[in-house]
Amino acid sequence: MNYPISEIHHARLGSSIYALLRDALITGRFKPNDRLRIRELAEQLSTSVTPVRDAILQLAKEQALEMRSPRDIRVPQLSQSQYDEIRLLRLSLEGMAAEQAAQKISADALQQLRANIDQNHTAILANDLSVALRLNSEFHLLLADAAGMPLLRNLIDMLWMRTGPLIAQSYREFSQQMAIGHHEELWQALASRDSDATRTAIQQDILDGNLKMRSFLREDDASAQPS
């Protein structure tokens, strides 16, 4: 099996296997319920089995991967209740990061976010979904970086590992406003140092994709109900 990570491997040859797999999850290169095989990944990445196994064990501890058995390792397929919890956490944590970023953001960080938005516009117009997904996740993490709170940034990053595959599933159905419009609004609020408007923009960005993403979720709760 050829996994969709060769491009990441060649572009970031010096990165750890953990970072490669983590990035693949965040950018949606792995889809919900995809099965990962350690030996095949090791062969594709031209490394031994040990660092791949260690990376997968670490990602499983972080609940970014699901180890059903030593030979059955899957990208989690979120239930409705799991997704709802993650959405609530993102609204709170990314909202906090946005407020802090509005107070602290540097001119360089503001320019990085501007460049990200411009590149994402280009990717969307070219219908380049993989690049648009990468830029979308990068935008949210750049915003978290600008908040200057490393622990908060790590928590947001962990939530993105959980939701990246689901966002990738539904992203093609997002309108341009859903995909990039709120990023524009957020940038304007950051440039104005408006904490309230910045928080509102990032929360609306999260909420706008809510119905699209829920349509791809597994109906675990319904199947668990007694007949």
Side-chain angles (χ1 to χ4, degrees):
M1 178 176 179
N2 188 40
Y3 294 96
I5 58 172
S6 56
E7 182 181 338
I8 299 174
H9 173 59
H10 293 300
R12 300 174 60 190
L13 193 59
S15 299
S16 69
I17 304 302
Y18 170 84
L20 296 175
L21 297 180
R22 172 193 158 283
D23 198 49
L25 287 163
I26 286 178
T27 57
R29 290 174 183 266
F30 294 146
K31 303 299 186 291
N33 207 39
D34 275 358
R35 185 175 180 182
L36 307 185
R37 292 174 172 84
I38 292 174
R39 190 168 298 280
E40 290 176 357
L41 279 165
E43 290 174 358
Q44 183 172 326
L45 297 172
S46 301
T47 187
S48 66
V49 167
T50 300
V52 176
R53 181 187 295 115
D54 290 346
I56 283 175
L57 287 172
Q58 180 60 36
L59 288 165
K61 287 180 182 177
E62 295 168 0
Q63 299 182 39
L65 290 175
E66 178 183 354
M67 291 195 70
R68 299 180 183 177
S69 76
R71 294 182 179 275
D72 190 2
I73 303 157
R74 304 273 179 164
V75 177
Q77 191 168 16
L78 297 176
S79 67
Q80 294 277 359
S81 60
Q82 288 172 325
Y83 167 72
D84 288 343
E85 181 181 5
I86 291 170
R87 186 195 65 217
L88 286 173
L89 288 168
R90 285 188 62 204
L91 286 169
S92 178
L93 297 178
E94 293 195 45
M96 184 189 304
E99 284 186 336
Q100 292 296 315
Q103 299 169 26
K104 301 176 182 177
I105 194 163
S106 66
D108 286 345
L110 197 60
Q111 184 54 43
Q112 275 188 295
L113 286 165
R114 180 70 260 167
N116 174 284
I117 293 169
D118 293 342
Q119 291 167 26
N120 206 345
H121 271 299
T122 300
I124 290 169
L125 288 173
N127 200 31
D128 192 335
L129 183 62
S130 63
V131 172
L133 281 164
R134 176 180 59 78
L135 290 166
N136 180 54
S137 62
E138 181 183 282
F139 179 90
H140 287 258
L141 295 177
L142 283 171
L143 180 65
D145 286 334
M149 300 174 68
L151 179 55
L152 177 63
R153 200 270 191 199
N154 288 341
L155 292 171
I156 291 171
D157 180 74
M158 181 181 68
L159 294 175
W160 266 88
M161 279 196 289
R162 299 289 309 277
T163 53
L166 175 61
I167 291 170
Q169 271 191 312
S170 54
Y171 201 75
R172 195 178 295 278
E173 297 190 15
F174 283 16
S175 67
Q176 187 157 330
Q177 171 65 12
M178 291 167 63
I180 198 71
H182 296 300
H183 292 190
E184 288 280 10
E185 295 165 3
L186 190 148
W187 191 88
Q188 292 294 336
L190 283 173
S192 300
R193 307 286 177 173
D194 188 332
S195 296
D196 290 341
T198 306
R199 183 184 186 101
T200 297
I202 197 65
Q203 290 180 331
Q204 194 59 52
D205 185 56
I206 294 167
L207 289 170
D208 258 13
N210 178 50
L211 291 178
K212 296 291 185 185
M213 285 191 281
R214 285 178 70 91
S215 69
F216 286 90
L217 292 171
R218 184 175 54 187
E219 294 292 343
D220 283 346
D221 292 341
S223 63
Q225 296 298 318
S227 57

